[in-house]
Amino acid sequence: DVERSRGLGDVYKRQTLELGLHALKAQKYEKALKKLTASAKMGNKEGQYYLAQMYFQGWGTPVNYEEGWLWLSVAMEQKTAEWNRSYRQIKKALPEDYITALQPYVDEYISLYGAKAQDLRCEKRAAIGSNIKEIICEKRYY
């Protein structure tokens, strides 16, 4: 049935992210790159953020500021204090004309992997036990 297959798809997406993050923490960069790329393409904001970090840091891949900026920009539909700090630091470090030149590609990535394209709902809320409101993007359930 449709509801059951949708649930299995969500489990697969979560497992893909978790496997990628586990591999990244264990410095198994080839596996992390593969799993986080898959997760990012499924619209997972956390996968997009950590994939961007892999490209910026050169973990398991040559340093690639362009690819890192594209994935970070898509991930930033979800706004957390940590991600905002990282985004501001990287934006400050990159030349303005470089960021401007990449904007059409950012728009393309958002059209493919962004919240709307992946049917995510982004809403402002506080984490449990916190008063700090952040924007969190999750799969829509009807």
Side-chain angles (χ1 to χ4, degrees):
D1 71 21
V2 174
E3 197 61 41
R4 183 165 179 256
S5 67
R6 182 180 299 140
L8 292 175
D10 293 337
V11 168
Y12 172 74
K13 288 177 185 179
R14 186 76 206 162
Q15 283 178 338
T16 302
L17 172 66
E18 288 173 3
L19 288 169
L21 292 175
H22 182 72
L24 181 60
K25 186 175 181 180
Q27 298 182 351
K28 295 180 179 177
Y29 295 128
E30 187 176 323
K31 181 177 182 179
L33 187 65
K34 181 180 176 188
K35 293 296 182 182
L36 290 176
T37 298
S39 178
K41 288 183 175 181
M42 287 185 260
N44 186 290
K45 298 298 167 196
E46 203 173 349
Q48 292 167 351
Y49 178 81
Y50 284 103
L51 180 60
Q53 297 308 314
M54 289 190 74
Y55 282 113
F56 285 129
Q57 303 298 329
W59 294 330
T61 180
V63 170
N64 185 331
Y65 295 119
E66 180 179 311
E67 200 67 22
W69 183 254
L70 297 176
W71 283 116
L72 181 60
S73 296
V74 178
M76 289 307 296
E77 289 178 309
Q78 177 165 300
K79 300 203 184 319
T80 69
E82 177 189 345
W83 293 11
N84 278 330
R85 274 192 301 280
S86 177
Y87 180 82
R88 283 193 307 271
Q89 287 178 324
I90 292 166
K91 186 175 184 183
K92 190 174 168 184
L94 294 174
E96 189 60 41
D97 59 339
Y98 186 80
I99 291 171
T100 302
L102 286 177
Q103 191 57 49
Y105 302 102
V106 167
D107 295 341
E108 179 183 349
Y109 268 48
I110 289 172
S111 76
L112 294 170
Y113 312 117
K116 186 175 180 184
Q118 298 298 320
D119 198 27
L120 303 178
R121 182 180 66 232
C122 299
E123 62 185 19
K124 193 174 214 175
R125 66 174 187 245
I128 296 171
S130 172
N131 292 330
I132 299 169
K133 294 205 177 204
E134 300 180 323
I135 296 176
I136 306 298
C137 300
E138 295 178 323
K139 192 71 177 165
R140 293 175 194 258
Y141 294 100
Y142 300 98

